[in-house]
PDB file of all heavy atoms in Angstrom:
ATOM      1  N   GLU A   1       0.815  -1.246   0.027  1.00 93.00           N
ATOM      2  CA  GLU A   1       0.022  -0.036   0.009  1.00 93.00           C
ATOM      3  C   GLU A   1       0.821   1.256  -0.010  1.00 93.00           C
ATOM      4  O   GLU A   1       1.004   1.942   1.015  1.00 93.00           O
ATOM      5  CB  GLU A   1      -0.963  -0.044   1.254  1.00 93.00           C
ATOM      6  CG  GLU A   1      -1.735   1.156   1.460  1.00 93.00           C
ATOM      7  CD  GLU A   1      -2.847   1.339   0.396  1.00 93.00           C
ATOM      8  OE1 GLU A   1      -2.780   0.702  -0.654  1.00 93.00           O
ATOM      9  OE2 GLU A   1      -3.817   2.143   0.676  1.00 93.00           O
ATOM     10  N   SER A   2       1.462   1.536  -1.118  1.00 92.00           N
ATOM     11  CA  SER A   2       2.397   2.727  -1.204  1.00 92.00           C
ATOM     12  C   SER A   2       2.468   3.130  -2.746  1.00 92.00           C
ATOM     13  O   SER A   2       3.524   3.460  -3.256  1.00 92.00           O
ATOM     14  CB  SER A   2       3.729   2.384  -0.715  1.00 92.00           C
ATOM     15  OG  SER A   2       4.581   3.521  -0.654  1.00 92.00           O
ATOM     16  N   VAL A   3       1.345   3.246  -3.402  1.00 97.00           N
ATOM     17  CA  VAL A   3       1.339   3.553  -4.896  1.00 97.00           C
ATOM     18  C   VAL A   3       1.346   5.057  -5.038  1.00 97.00           C
ATOM     19  O   VAL A   3       0.680   5.793  -4.366  1.00 97.00           O
ATOM     20  CB  VAL A   3       0.092   2.928  -5.540  1.00 97.00           C
ATOM     21  CG1 VAL A   3       0.138   3.179  -7.043  1.00 97.00           C
ATOM     22  CG2 VAL A   3      -0.029   1.435  -5.240  1.00 97.00           C
ATOM     23  N   PHE A   4       2.137   5.484  -5.982  1.00 98.00           N
ATOM     24  CA  PHE A   4       2.138   6.978  -6.298  1.00 98.00           C
ATOM     25  C   PHE A   4       2.632   7.186  -7.681  1.00 98.00           C
ATOM     26  O   PHE A   4       3.100   6.294  -8.457  1.00 98.00           O
ATOM     27  CB  PHE A   4       3.033   7.742  -5.272  1.00 98.00           C
ATOM     28  CG  PHE A   4       4.547   7.326  -5.424  1.00 98.00           C
ATOM     29  CD1 PHE A   4       5.346   8.210  -6.124  1.00 98.00           C
ATOM     30  CD2 PHE A   4       5.076   6.243  -4.795  1.00 98.00           C
ATOM     31  CE1 PHE A   4       6.732   7.971  -6.275  1.00 98.00           C
ATOM     32  CE2 PHE A   4       6.419   6.016  -4.920  1.00 98.00           C
ATOM     33  CZ  PHE A   4       7.277   6.811  -5.625  1.00 98.00           C
ATOM     34  N   ARG A   5       2.454   8.532  -8.122  1.00 98.00           N
ATOM     35  CA  ARG A   5       2.979   8.860  -9.507  1.00 98.00           C
ATOM     36  C   ARG A   5       4.206   9.736  -9.360  1.00 98.00           C
ATOM     37  O   ARG A   5       4.217  10.705  -8.610  1.00 98.00           O
ATOM     38  CB  ARG A   5       1.871   9.590 -10.243  1.00 98.00           C
ATOM     39  CG  ARG A   5       2.173   9.876 -11.751  1.00 98.00           C
ATOM     40  CD  ARG A   5       1.211  10.823 -12.413  1.00 98.00           C
ATOM     41  NE  ARG A   5      -0.103  10.265 -12.394  1.00 98.00           N
ATOM     42  CZ  ARG A   5      -0.660   9.405 -13.295  1.00 98.00           C
ATOM     43  NH1 ARG A   5       0.155   8.962 -14.289  1.00 98.00           N
ATOM     44  NH2 ARG A   5      -1.865   9.055 -13.244  1.00 98.00           N
ATOM     45  N   MET A   6       5.275   9.418 -10.078  1.00 98.00           N
ATOM     46  CA  MET A   6       6.550  10.127 -10.071  1.00 98.00           C
ATOM     47  C   MET A   6       6.304  11.464 -10.901  1.00 98.00           C
ATOM     48  O   MET A   6       5.336  11.637 -11.572  1.00 98.00           O
ATOM     49  CB  MET A   6       7.601   9.385 -10.733  1.00 98.00           C
ATOM     50  CG  MET A   6       7.944   8.066  -9.909  1.00 98.00           C
ATOM     51  SD  MET A   6       9.193   7.051 -10.693  1.00 98.00           S
ATOM     52  CE  MET A   6      10.659   8.093 -10.580  1.00 98.00           C
ATOM     53  N   LYS A   7       7.293  12.344 -10.792  1.00 97.00           N
ATOM     54  CA  LYS A   7       7.229  13.637 -11.423  1.00 97.00           C
ATOM     55  C   LYS A   7       7.104  13.525 -12.984  1.00 97.00           C
ATOM     56  O   LYS A   7       6.542  14.334 -13.610  1.00 97.00           O
ATOM     57  CB  LYS A   7       8.516  14.516 -11.057  1.00 97.00           C
ATOM     58  CG  LYS A   7       8.511  14.845  -9.590  1.00 97.00           C
ATOM     59  CD  LYS A   7       9.731  15.549  -9.297  1.00 97.00           C
ATOM     60  CE  LYS A   7       9.885  15.922  -7.852  1.00 97.00           C
ATOM     61  NZ  LYS A   7      11.126  16.670  -7.545  1.00 97.00           N
ATOM     62  N   ASP A   8       7.734  12.420 -13.549  1.00 97.00           N
ATOM     63  CA  ASP A   8       7.764  12.241 -14.942  1.00 97.00           C
ATOM     64  C   ASP A   8       6.483  11.519 -15.480  1.00 97.00           C
ATOM     65  O   ASP A   8       6.320  11.204 -16.627  1.00 97.00           O
ATOM     66  CB  ASP A   8       8.950  11.482 -15.483  1.00 97.00           C
ATOM     67  CG  ASP A   8       8.998  10.044 -14.993  1.00 97.00           C
ATOM     68  OD1 ASP A   8       8.126   9.583 -14.224  1.00 97.00           O
ATOM     69  OD2 ASP A   8      10.025   9.341 -15.315  1.00 97.00           O
ATOM     70  N   GLY A   9       5.547  11.234 -14.567  1.00 97.00           N
ATOM     71  CA  GLY A   9       4.294  10.670 -14.847  1.00 97.00           C
ATOM     72  C   GLY A   9       4.202   9.040 -14.662  1.00 97.00           C
ATOM     73  O   GLY A   9       3.136   8.532 -14.768  1.00 97.00           O
ATOM     74  N   SER A  10       5.372   8.472 -14.456  1.00 98.00           N
ATOM     75  CA  SER A  10       5.473   7.021 -14.212  1.00 98.00           C
ATOM     76  C   SER A  10       4.677   6.623 -12.893  1.00 98.00           C
ATOM     77  O   SER A  10       4.748   7.425 -11.918  1.00 98.00           O
ATOM     78  CB  SER A  10       6.896   6.556 -14.125  1.00 98.00           C
ATOM     79  OG  SER A  10       7.603   6.833 -15.264  1.00 98.00           O
ATOM     80  N   ILE A  11       3.988   5.583 -12.894  1.00 98.00           N
ATOM     81  CA  ILE A  11       3.357   5.073 -11.715  1.00 98.00           C
ATOM     82  C   ILE A  11       4.255   4.060 -11.025  1.00 98.00           C
ATOM     83  O   ILE A  11       4.823   3.151 -11.735  1.00 98.00           O
ATOM     84  CB  ILE A  11       1.993   4.428 -11.995  1.00 98.00           C
ATOM     85  CG1 ILE A  11       1.016   5.492 -12.789  1.00 98.00           C
ATOM     86  CG2 ILE A  11       1.255   4.002 -10.737  1.00 98.00           C
ATOM     87  CD1 ILE A  11      -0.193   4.918 -13.276  1.00 98.00           C
ATOM     88  N   VAL A  12       4.328   4.167  -9.701  1.00 98.00           N
ATOM     89  CA  VAL A  12       5.206   3.216  -8.934  1.00 98.00           C
ATOM     90  C   VAL A  12       4.295   2.283  -8.129  1.00 98.00           C
ATOM     91  O   VAL A  12       3.454   2.834  -7.371  1.00 98.00           O
ATOM     92  CB  VAL A  12       6.136   3.993  -8.027  1.00 98.00           C
ATOM     93  CG1 VAL A  12       6.943   3.016  -7.141  1.00 98.00           C
ATOM     94  CG2 VAL A  12       7.134   4.899  -8.860  1.00 98.00           C
ATOM     95  N   LEU A  13       4.422   0.991  -8.334  1.00 98.00           N
ATOM     96  CA  LEU A  13       3.704   0.043  -7.526  1.00 98.00           C
ATOM     97  C   LEU A  13       4.649  -0.821  -6.726  1.00 98.00           C
ATOM     98  O   LEU A  13       5.339  -1.691  -7.355  1.00 98.00           O
ATOM     99  CB  LEU A  13       2.794  -0.853  -8.407  1.00 98.00           C
ATOM    100  CG  LEU A  13       2.160  -2.054  -7.730  1.00 98.00           C
ATOM    101  CD1 LEU A  13       1.164  -1.645  -6.651  1.00 98.00           C
ATOM    102  CD2 LEU A  13       1.446  -3.001  -8.774  1.00 98.00           C
ATOM    103  N   PRO A  14       4.853  -0.651  -5.424  1.00 98.00           N
ATOM    104  CA  PRO A  14       5.711  -1.512  -4.641  1.00 98.00           C
ATOM    105  C   PRO A  14       5.141  -2.831  -4.470  1.00 98.00           C
ATOM    106  O   PRO A  14       3.843  -3.026  -4.286  1.00 98.00           O
ATOM    107  CB  PRO A  14       5.923  -0.783  -3.314  1.00 98.00           C
ATOM    108  CG  PRO A  14       5.413   0.594  -3.554  1.00 98.00           C
ATOM    109  CD  PRO A  14       4.387   0.532  -4.650  1.00 98.00           C
ATOM    110  N   CYS A  15       5.942  -3.912  -4.436  1.00 98.00           N
ATOM    111  CA  CYS A  15       5.416  -5.296  -4.176  1.00 98.00           C
ATOM    112  C   CYS A  15       6.521  -6.003  -3.364  1.00 98.00           C
ATOM    113  O   CYS A  15       7.762  -5.831  -3.681  1.00 98.00           O
ATOM    114  CB  CYS A  15       5.251  -6.121  -5.494  1.00 98.00           C
ATOM    115  SG  CYS A  15       3.806  -5.539  -6.425  1.00 98.00           S
ATOM    116  N   ASP A  16       6.121  -6.877  -2.465  1.00 97.00           N
ATOM    117  CA  ASP A  16       7.046  -7.627  -1.738  1.00 97.00           C
ATOM    118  C   ASP A  16       7.914  -8.512  -2.592  1.00 97.00           C
ATOM    119  O   ASP A  16       7.394  -9.065  -3.561  1.00 97.00           O
ATOM    120  CB  ASP A  16       6.447  -8.464  -0.608  1.00 97.00           C
ATOM    121  CG  ASP A  16       6.013  -7.805   0.599  1.00 97.00           C
ATOM    122  OD1 ASP A  16       6.377  -6.602   0.705  1.00 97.00           O
ATOM    123  OD2 ASP A  16       5.392  -8.373   1.495  1.00 97.00           O
ATOM    124  N   ALA A  17       9.184  -8.501  -2.410  1.00 96.00           N
ATOM    125  CA  ALA A  17      10.153  -9.299  -3.293  1.00 96.00           C
ATOM    126  C   ALA A  17      10.422 -10.681  -2.550  1.00 96.00           C
ATOM    127  O   ALA A  17      11.263 -11.357  -3.052  1.00 96.00           O
ATOM    128  CB  ALA A  17      11.474  -8.603  -3.394  1.00 96.00           C
ATOM    129  N   SER A  18       9.710 -10.954  -1.479  1.00 94.00           N
ATOM    130  CA  SER A  18       9.922 -12.170  -0.773  1.00 94.00           C
ATOM    131  C   SER A  18       8.699 -12.627  -0.083  1.00 94.00           C
ATOM    132  O   SER A  18       7.882 -11.767   0.215  1.00 94.00           O
ATOM    133  CB  SER A  18      11.045 -12.009   0.307  1.00 94.00           C
ATOM    134  OG  SER A  18      11.109 -13.072   1.193  1.00 94.00           O
ATOM    135  N   SER A  19       8.490 -13.870   0.118  1.00 92.00           N
ATOM    136  CA  SER A  19       7.322 -14.386   0.818  1.00 92.00           C
ATOM    137  C   SER A  19       7.568 -14.653   2.302  1.00 92.00           C
ATOM    138  O   SER A  19       6.782 -15.097   3.093  1.00 92.00           O
ATOM    139  CB  SER A  19       6.787 -15.728   0.158  1.00 92.00           C
ATOM    140  OG  SER A  19       7.795 -16.686   0.331  1.00 92.00           O
ATOM    141  N   ARG A  20       8.810 -14.195   2.698  1.00 91.00           N
ATOM    142  CA  ARG A  20       9.184 -14.403   4.180  1.00 91.00           C
ATOM    143  C   ARG A  20       9.152 -13.045   4.841  1.00 91.00           C
ATOM    144  O   ARG A  20       8.693 -12.052   4.283  1.00 91.00           O
ATOM    145  CB  ARG A  20      10.696 -14.849   4.162  1.00 91.00           C
ATOM    146  CG  ARG A  20      10.889 -16.225   3.540  1.00 91.00           C
ATOM    147  CD  ARG A  20      12.345 -16.643   3.420  1.00 91.00           C
ATOM    148  NE  ARG A  20      13.030 -15.642   2.600  1.00 91.00           N
ATOM    149  CZ  ARG A  20      14.338 -15.565   2.468  1.00 91.00           C
ATOM    150  NH1 ARG A  20      15.111 -16.361   3.248  1.00 91.00           N
ATOM    151  NH2 ARG A  20      14.939 -14.674   1.688  1.00 91.00           N
ATOM    152  N   GLY A  21       9.550 -12.944   6.095  1.00 90.00           N
ATOM    153  CA  GLY A  21       9.467 -11.811   6.902  1.00 90.00           C
ATOM    154  C   GLY A  21      10.605 -10.834   6.610  1.00 90.00           C
ATOM    155  O   GLY A  21      10.703  -9.768   7.359  1.00 90.00           O
ATOM    156  N   HIS A  22      11.365 -11.098   5.673  1.00 93.00           N
ATOM    157  CA  HIS A  22      12.499 -10.198   5.264  1.00 93.00           C
ATOM    158  C   HIS A  22      12.726 -10.459   3.790  1.00 93.00           C
ATOM    159  O   HIS A  22      12.178 -11.443   3.199  1.00 93.00           O
ATOM    160  CB  HIS A  22      13.768 -10.348   6.141  1.00 93.00           C
ATOM    161  CG  HIS A  22      14.266 -11.741   6.105  1.00 93.00           C
ATOM    162  ND1 HIS A  22      15.185 -12.222   5.162  1.00 93.00           N
ATOM    163  CD2 HIS A  22      13.967 -12.885   6.912  1.00 93.00           C
ATOM    164  CE1 HIS A  22      15.427 -13.513   5.377  1.00 93.00           C
ATOM    165  NE2 HIS A  22      14.724 -13.899   6.395  1.00 93.00           N
ATOM    166  N   GLY A  23      13.697  -9.776   3.135  1.00 95.00           N
ATOM    167  CA  GLY A  23      14.030 -10.093   1.756  1.00 95.00           C
ATOM    168  C   GLY A  23      13.711  -9.016   0.806  1.00 95.00           C
ATOM    169  O   GLY A  23      14.111  -9.149  -0.398  1.00 95.00           O
ATOM    170  N   GLY A  24      13.219  -7.884   1.283  1.00 97.00           N
ATOM    171  CA  GLY A  24      13.159  -6.747   0.370  1.00 97.00           C
ATOM    172  C   GLY A  24      11.869  -6.478  -0.322  1.00 97.00           C
ATOM    173  O   GLY A  24      10.891  -7.309  -0.378  1.00 97.00           O
ATOM    174  N   THR A  25      11.688  -5.298  -0.914  1.00 98.00           N
ATOM    175  CA  THR A  25      10.541  -4.836  -1.686  1.00 98.00           C
ATOM    176  C   THR A  25      10.925  -4.418  -3.089  1.00 98.00           C
ATOM    177  O   THR A  25      11.903  -3.672  -3.222  1.00 98.00           O
ATOM    178  CB  THR A  25       9.888  -3.656  -0.974  1.00 98.00           C
ATOM    179  OG1 THR A  25       9.358  -4.016   0.369  1.00 98.00           O
ATOM    180  CG2 THR A  25       8.662  -3.103  -1.730  1.00 98.00           C
ATOM    181  N   ALA A  26      10.283  -4.949  -4.109  1.00 98.00           N
ATOM    182  CA  ALA A  26      10.590  -4.610  -5.444  1.00 98.00           C
ATOM    183  C   ALA A  26       9.617  -3.422  -5.821  1.00 98.00           C
ATOM    184  O   ALA A  26       8.605  -3.114  -5.099  1.00 98.00           O
ATOM    185  CB  ALA A  26      10.328  -5.783  -6.335  1.00 98.00           C
ATOM    186  N   ILE A  27       9.906  -2.688  -6.876  1.00 98.00           N
ATOM    187  CA  ILE A  27       8.841  -1.751  -7.394  1.00 98.00           C
ATOM    188  C   ILE A  27       8.633  -2.209  -8.905  1.00 98.00           C
ATOM    189  O   ILE A  27       9.387  -2.806  -9.504  1.00 98.00           O
ATOM    190  CB  ILE A  27       9.358  -0.318  -7.334  1.00 98.00           C
ATOM    191  CG1 ILE A  27      10.528  -0.031  -8.275  1.00 98.00           C
ATOM    192  CG2 ILE A  27       9.586   0.092  -5.855  1.00 98.00           C
ATOM    193  CD1 ILE A  27      10.780   1.433  -8.443  1.00 98.00           C
ATOM    194  N   HIS A  28       7.456  -1.858  -9.319  1.00 98.00           N
ATOM    195  CA  HIS A  28       7.041  -2.044 -10.698  1.00 98.00           C
ATOM    196  C   HIS A  28       6.678  -0.694 -11.250  1.00 98.00           C
ATOM    197  O   HIS A  28       6.047   0.151 -10.511  1.00 98.00           O
ATOM    198  CB  HIS A  28       5.854  -2.974 -10.861  1.00 98.00           C
ATOM    199  CG  HIS A  28       6.225  -4.456 -10.367  1.00 98.00           C
ATOM    200  ND1 HIS A  28       6.626  -5.357 -11.163  1.00 98.00           N
ATOM    201  CD2 HIS A  28       6.173  -4.935  -9.024  1.00 98.00           C
ATOM    202  CE1 HIS A  28       6.819  -6.486 -10.474  1.00 98.00           C
ATOM    203  NE2 HIS A  28       6.630  -6.261  -9.178  1.00 98.00           N
ATOM    204  N   LEU A  29       7.031  -0.394 -12.495  1.00 98.00           N
ATOM    205  CA  LEU A  29       6.744   0.974 -13.055  1.00 98.00           C
ATOM    206  C   LEU A  29       5.865   0.838 -14.329  1.00 98.00           C
ATOM    207  O   LEU A  29       6.014  -0.129 -15.080  1.00 98.00           O
ATOM    208  CB  LEU A  29       8.135   1.482 -13.524  1.00 98.00           C
ATOM    209  CG  LEU A  29       9.182   1.808 -12.394  1.00 98.00           C
ATOM    210  CD1 LEU A  29      10.463   2.263 -13.058  1.00 98.00           C
ATOM    211  CD2 LEU A  29       8.652   2.820 -11.373  1.00 98.00           C
ATOM    212  N   SER A  30       4.993   1.764 -14.395  1.00 98.00           N
ATOM    213  CA  SER A  30       4.188   1.956 -15.672  1.00 98.00           C
ATOM    214  C   SER A  30       4.377   3.331 -16.219  1.00 98.00           C
ATOM    215  O   SER A  30       4.205   4.337 -15.478  1.00 98.00           O
ATOM    216  CB  SER A  30       2.715   1.688 -15.377  1.00 98.00           C
ATOM    217  OG  SER A  30       1.968   1.924 -16.472  1.00 98.00           O
ATOM    218  N   THR A  31       4.708   3.433 -17.464  1.00 97.00           N
ATOM    219  CA  THR A  31       4.975   4.799 -18.113  1.00 97.00           C
ATOM    220  C   THR A  31       3.834   5.058 -18.963  1.00 97.00           C
ATOM    221  O   THR A  31       3.828   6.061 -19.726  1.00 97.00           O
ATOM    222  CB  THR A  31       6.281   4.755 -18.916  1.00 97.00           C
ATOM    223  OG1 THR A  31       6.186   3.690 -19.933  1.00 97.00           O
ATOM    224  CG2 THR A  31       7.442   4.528 -18.037  1.00 97.00           C
ATOM    225  N   ASP A  32       2.793   4.156 -19.112  1.00 96.00           N
ATOM    226  CA  ASP A  32       1.613   4.455 -19.988  1.00 96.00           C
ATOM    227  C   ASP A  32       0.265   4.294 -19.220  1.00 96.00           C
ATOM    228  O   ASP A  32      -0.681   3.780 -19.634  1.00 96.00           O
ATOM    229  CB  ASP A  32       1.587   3.453 -21.112  1.00 96.00           C
ATOM    230  CG  ASP A  32       1.649   1.901 -20.610  1.00 96.00           C
ATOM    231  OD1 ASP A  32       1.540   1.727 -19.443  1.00 96.00           O
ATOM    232  OD2 ASP A  32       1.758   1.046 -21.504  1.00 96.00           O
ATOM    233  N   ASN A  33       0.279   4.976 -18.015  1.00 94.00           N
ATOM    234  CA  ASN A  33      -0.903   5.141 -17.197  1.00 94.00           C
ATOM    235  C   ASN A  33      -1.417   3.832 -16.774  1.00 94.00           C
ATOM    236  O   ASN A  33      -2.762   3.661 -16.719  1.00 94.00           O
ATOM    237  CB  ASN A  33      -1.888   5.967 -17.934  1.00 94.00           C
ATOM    238  CG  ASN A  33      -2.767   6.781 -16.904  1.00 94.00           C
ATOM    239  OD1 ASN A  33      -2.286   7.190 -15.860  1.00 94.00           O
ATOM    240  ND2 ASN A  33      -4.059   6.938 -17.243  1.00 94.00           N
ATOM    241  N   GLY A  34      -0.683   2.831 -16.480  1.00 95.00           N
ATOM    242  CA  GLY A  34      -1.062   1.537 -15.890  1.00 95.00           C
ATOM    243  C   GLY A  34      -1.398   0.423 -16.886  1.00 95.00           C
ATOM    244  O   GLY A  34      -1.872  -0.594 -16.548  1.00 95.00           O
ATOM    245  N   GLN A  35      -1.208   0.708 -18.206  1.00 95.00           N
ATOM    246  CA  GLN A  35      -1.490  -0.319 -19.228  1.00 95.00           C
ATOM    247  C   GLN A  35      -0.449  -1.457 -19.119  1.00 95.00           C
ATOM    248  O   GLN A  35      -0.827  -2.590 -19.198  1.00 95.00           O
ATOM    249  CB  GLN A  35      -1.551   0.265 -20.513  1.00 95.00           C
ATOM    250  CG  GLN A  35      -2.769   1.227 -20.755  1.00 95.00           C
ATOM    251  CD  GLN A  35      -4.079   0.626 -20.384  1.00 95.00           C
ATOM    252  OE1 GLN A  35      -4.452  -0.381 -20.921  1.00 95.00           O
ATOM    253  NE2 GLN A  35      -4.782   1.198 -19.378  1.00 95.00           N
ATOM    254  N   THR A  36       0.829  -1.109 -19.082  1.00 97.00           N
ATOM    255  CA  THR A  36       1.871  -2.124 -19.029  1.00 97.00           C
ATOM    256  C   THR A  36       2.833  -1.794 -17.908  1.00 97.00           C
ATOM    257  O   THR A  36       2.907  -0.618 -17.542  1.00 97.00           O
ATOM    258  CB  THR A  36       2.685  -2.184 -20.373  1.00 97.00           C
ATOM    259  OG1 THR A  36       3.316  -0.968 -20.609  1.00 97.00           O
ATOM    260  CG2 THR A  36       1.748  -2.535 -21.504  1.00 97.00           C
ATOM    261  N   TRP A  37       3.493  -2.850 -17.398  1.00 98.00           N
ATOM    262  CA  TRP A  37       4.338  -2.597 -16.251  1.00 98.00           C
ATOM    263  C   TRP A  37       5.687  -3.363 -16.419  1.00 98.00           C
ATOM    264  O   TRP A  37       5.774  -4.368 -17.074  1.00 98.00           O
ATOM    265  CB  TRP A  37       3.644  -3.244 -15.023  1.00 98.00           C
ATOM    266  CG  TRP A  37       2.446  -2.456 -14.657  1.00 98.00           C
ATOM    267  CD1 TRP A  37       1.196  -2.610 -15.246  1.00 98.00           C
ATOM    268  CD2 TRP A  37       2.284  -1.366 -13.662  1.00 98.00           C
ATOM    269  NE1 TRP A  37       0.266  -1.647 -14.711  1.00 98.00           N
ATOM    270  CE2 TRP A  37       0.907  -0.985 -13.711  1.00 98.00           C
ATOM    271  CE3 TRP A  37       3.167  -0.831 -12.755  1.00 98.00           C
ATOM    272  CZ2 TRP A  37       0.426  -0.039 -12.852  1.00 98.00           C
ATOM    273  CZ3 TRP A  37       2.716   0.075 -11.858  1.00 98.00           C
ATOM    274  CH2 TRP A  37       1.272   0.501 -11.986  1.00 98.00           C
ATOM    275  N   THR A  38       6.734  -2.800 -15.859  1.00 97.00           N
ATOM    276  CA  THR A  38       8.084  -3.363 -15.902  1.00 97.00           C
ATOM    277  C   THR A  38       8.638  -3.437 -14.434  1.00 97.00           C
ATOM    278  O   THR A  38       8.308  -2.616 -13.648  1.00 97.00           O
ATOM    279  CB  THR A  38       8.999  -2.567 -16.831  1.00 97.00           C
ATOM    280  OG1 THR A  38       9.167  -1.220 -16.263  1.00 97.00           O
ATOM    281  CG2 THR A  38       8.530  -2.554 -18.251  1.00 97.00           C
ATOM    282  N   ASP A  39       9.513  -4.404 -14.258  1.00 97.00           N
ATOM    283  CA  ASP A  39      10.173  -4.626 -13.040  1.00 97.00           C
ATOM    284  C   ASP A  39      11.620  -4.264 -13.185  1.00 97.00           C
ATOM    285  O   ASP A  39      12.366  -4.952 -13.918  1.00 97.00           O
ATOM    286  CB  ASP A  39      10.045  -6.100 -12.551  1.00 97.00           C
ATOM    287  CG  ASP A  39      10.685  -6.366 -11.180  1.00 97.00           C
ATOM    288  OD1 ASP A  39      11.496  -5.489 -10.705  1.00 97.00           O
ATOM    289  OD2 ASP A  39      10.442  -7.438 -10.664  1.00 97.00           O
ATOM    290  N   PRO A  40      12.126  -3.176 -12.579  1.00 98.00           N
ATOM    291  CA  PRO A  40      13.533  -2.771 -12.829  1.00 98.00           C
ATOM    292  C   PRO A  40      14.524  -3.785 -12.331  1.00 98.00           C
ATOM    293  O   PRO A  40      15.696  -3.790 -12.765  1.00 98.00           O
ATOM    294  CB  PRO A  40      13.668  -1.454 -12.069  1.00 98.00           C
ATOM    295  CG  PRO A  40      12.285  -0.958 -11.855  1.00 98.00           C
ATOM    296  CD  PRO A  40      11.427  -2.201 -11.820  1.00 98.00           C
ATOM    297  N   GLY A  41      14.068  -4.625 -11.369  1.00 97.00           N
ATOM    298  CA  GLY A  41      15.020  -5.801 -10.935  1.00 97.00           C
ATOM    299  C   GLY A  41      15.638  -5.584  -9.622  1.00 97.00           C
ATOM    300  O   GLY A  41      16.086  -6.541  -9.015  1.00 97.00           O
ATOM    301  N   GLY A  42      15.612  -4.455  -9.025  1.00 98.00           N
ATOM    302  CA  GLY A  42      16.311  -4.150  -7.648  1.00 98.00           C
ATOM    303  C   GLY A  42      15.288  -4.395  -6.608  1.00 98.00           C
ATOM    304  O   GLY A  42      14.052  -4.762  -6.799  1.00 98.00           O
ATOM    305  N   LYS A  43      15.629  -4.210  -5.392  1.00 97.00           N
ATOM    306  CA  LYS A  43      14.832  -4.186  -4.248  1.00 97.00           C
ATOM    307  C   LYS A  43      15.333  -3.366  -3.091  1.00 97.00           C
ATOM    308  O   LYS A  43      16.559  -3.429  -2.819  1.00 97.00           O
ATOM    309  CB  LYS A  43      14.524  -5.592  -3.799  1.00 97.00           C
ATOM    310  CG  LYS A  43      15.803  -6.430  -3.395  1.00 97.00           C
ATOM    311  CD  LYS A  43      15.375  -7.850  -3.099  1.00 97.00           C
ATOM    312  CE  LYS A  43      16.680  -8.696  -2.693  1.00 97.00           C
ATOM    313  NZ  LYS A  43      16.318 -10.044  -2.316  1.00 97.00           N
ATOM    314  N   LEU A  44      14.541  -2.659  -2.415  1.00 97.00           N
ATOM    315  CA  LEU A  44      14.894  -1.904  -1.252  1.00 97.00           C
ATOM    316  C   LEU A  44      14.837  -2.886  -0.026  1.00 97.00           C
ATOM    317  O   LEU A  44      14.239  -3.950  -0.090  1.00 97.00           O
ATOM    318  CB  LEU A  44      14.096  -0.743  -1.021  1.00 97.00           C
ATOM    319  CG  LEU A  44      12.578  -0.843  -0.764  1.00 97.00           C
ATOM    320  CD1 LEU A  44      12.264  -0.913   0.767  1.00 97.00           C
ATOM    321  CD2 LEU A  44      11.789   0.247  -1.314  1.00 97.00           C
ATOM    322  N   ALA A  45      15.571  -2.587   0.993  1.00 98.00           N
ATOM    323  CA  ALA A  45      15.671  -3.499   2.174  1.00 98.00           C
ATOM    324  C   ALA A  45      14.340  -3.573   2.913  1.00 98.00           C
ATOM    325  O   ALA A  45      13.758  -2.490   3.139  1.00 98.00           O
ATOM    326  CB  ALA A  45      16.803  -2.996   3.117  1.00 98.00           C
TER     327      ALA A  45
END
C-alpha cells in the first residue's frame, strides 16, 4: 500500500520481493498510465 505517481508521470507500485518476513521490496513501473508494467530488478531493504 504505497502507490504513487512520479514527477515524470510514471506510476510506482511496490510489491514484496519475498514471501518471508524479510528479503526486500521490489517496485514495478508503468509509463503508460497503468496499461503495461516493468520490474527494474532491484529491491529496497
Side-chain angles (χ1 to χ4, degrees):
E1 177 66 344
S2 184
V3 185
F4 68 96
R5 192 187 297 274
M6 296 175 66
K7 295 176 182 179
D8 66 1
S10 301
I11 303 172
V12 177
L13 169 63
C15 290
D16 279 356
S18 169
S19 60
R20 300 170 297 167
H22 58 88
T25 300
I27 66 165
H28 298 266
L29 298 174
S30 175
T31 58
D32 54 9
N33 208 36
Q35 294 304 303
T36 61
W37 295 81
T38 58
D39 182 346
K43 58 184 180 180
L44 63 92

